[in-house]
Structure formats: structure tokens, C-alpha cells
């Protein structure tokens, strides 16, 4: 109750990623991909810019191959290895960088 909305989101995301990593280690079934949808939306811009690093650490710890995440923040999306941009008109562009 004492955390800000952004802090609650960050703690919630860390717990979810921790559970995913735990399950990946303990489960006999290979879980290769994480999906995250706009989890950085309530974060302060400075904190949101650190979010991709948190996802990369989860990939490393959990032994995942991929993480797909949706973000409307250019500073977050710019840190992705690959991006898919969908315009309001429905135009799709994939950028590999």
C-alpha cells in the first residue's frame, strides 16, 4: 500500500518473471518464450528505460530463447534486438538491429 503505482508494477513484474524462471528450472517441459504486454506503461520514464535489462536478465536466468514484449515507449523499444512496428493504418514494418 505504500508503493507508488509504478513501483507496484515493477514489483509485480519482478515476481511474475521470478515465477517464470522458477517454473522453467523446475518444470520438465521446455518453456522457450516469454510474452509481456505493455508492462512498462505505468513506470516512470527513467525506470521504464531499464525494463528491457530486466527482461534480458530473466532470459539469462530462466534459460529462455526469446522474449516478445509490447511497448509504446521509443526508449524501451529501441533496446529490442528486433522490432515490429504497426501503424494506425495497419502497416507493418519489421526492423532488425
Amino acid at each position: 500500500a505504500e508503493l507508488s503505482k509504478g513501483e507496484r508494477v515493477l514489483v509485480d513484474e519482478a515476481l511474475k518473471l521470478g515465477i517464470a524462471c522458477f517454473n522453467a528450472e523446475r518444470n520438465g517441459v521446455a518453456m522457450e518464450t516469454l510474452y509481456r504486454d505493455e508492462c512498462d506503461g505505468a513506470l516512470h520514464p527513467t525506470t521504464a528505460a531499464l525494463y528491457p535489462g530486466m527482461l534480458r536478465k530473466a532470459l539469462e536466468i530462466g534459460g529462455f530463447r526469446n522474449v516478445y514484449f509490447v511497448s509504446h515507449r521509443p526508449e524501451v523499444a529501441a533496446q529490442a534486438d528486433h522490432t515490429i512496428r504497426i501503424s494506425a493504418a495497419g502497416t507493418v514494418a519489421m526492423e532488425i538491429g
Side-chain angles (χ1 to χ4, degrees):
E2 297 177 17
L3 299 176
S4 71
K5 182 178 180 182
E7 290 170 330
R8 285 193 304 262
V9 168
L10 193 59
V11 169
D12 181 65
E13 186 65 5
L15 288 171
K16 287 177 181 176
L17 290 171
I19 290 168
C21 290
F22 176 79
N23 285 335
E25 181 182 320
R26 301 282 305 231
N27 195 346
V29 178
M31 297 189 304
E32 297 182 350
T33 305
L34 290 172
Y35 296 93
R36 310 307 307 140
D37 185 15
E38 298 185 53
C39 296
D40 63 336
L43 300 177
H44 183 277
T46 304
T47 306
L50 299 173
Y51 180 66
M54 186 172 161
L55 293 176
R56 288 186 191 281
K57 191 66 174 178
L59 282 175
E60 176 188 328
I61 292 171
F64 300 100
R65 292 178 67 191
N66 303 298
V67 60
Y68 297 102
F69 68 94
V70 176
S71 178
H72 294 281
R73 295 173 180 258
E75 66 275 15
V76 173
Q79 296 182 59
D81 294 332
H82 310 284
T83 60
I84 298 172
R85 298 185 191 279
I86 302 172
S87 73
T91 305
V92 177
M94 182 167 182
E95 298 175 13
I96 300 174

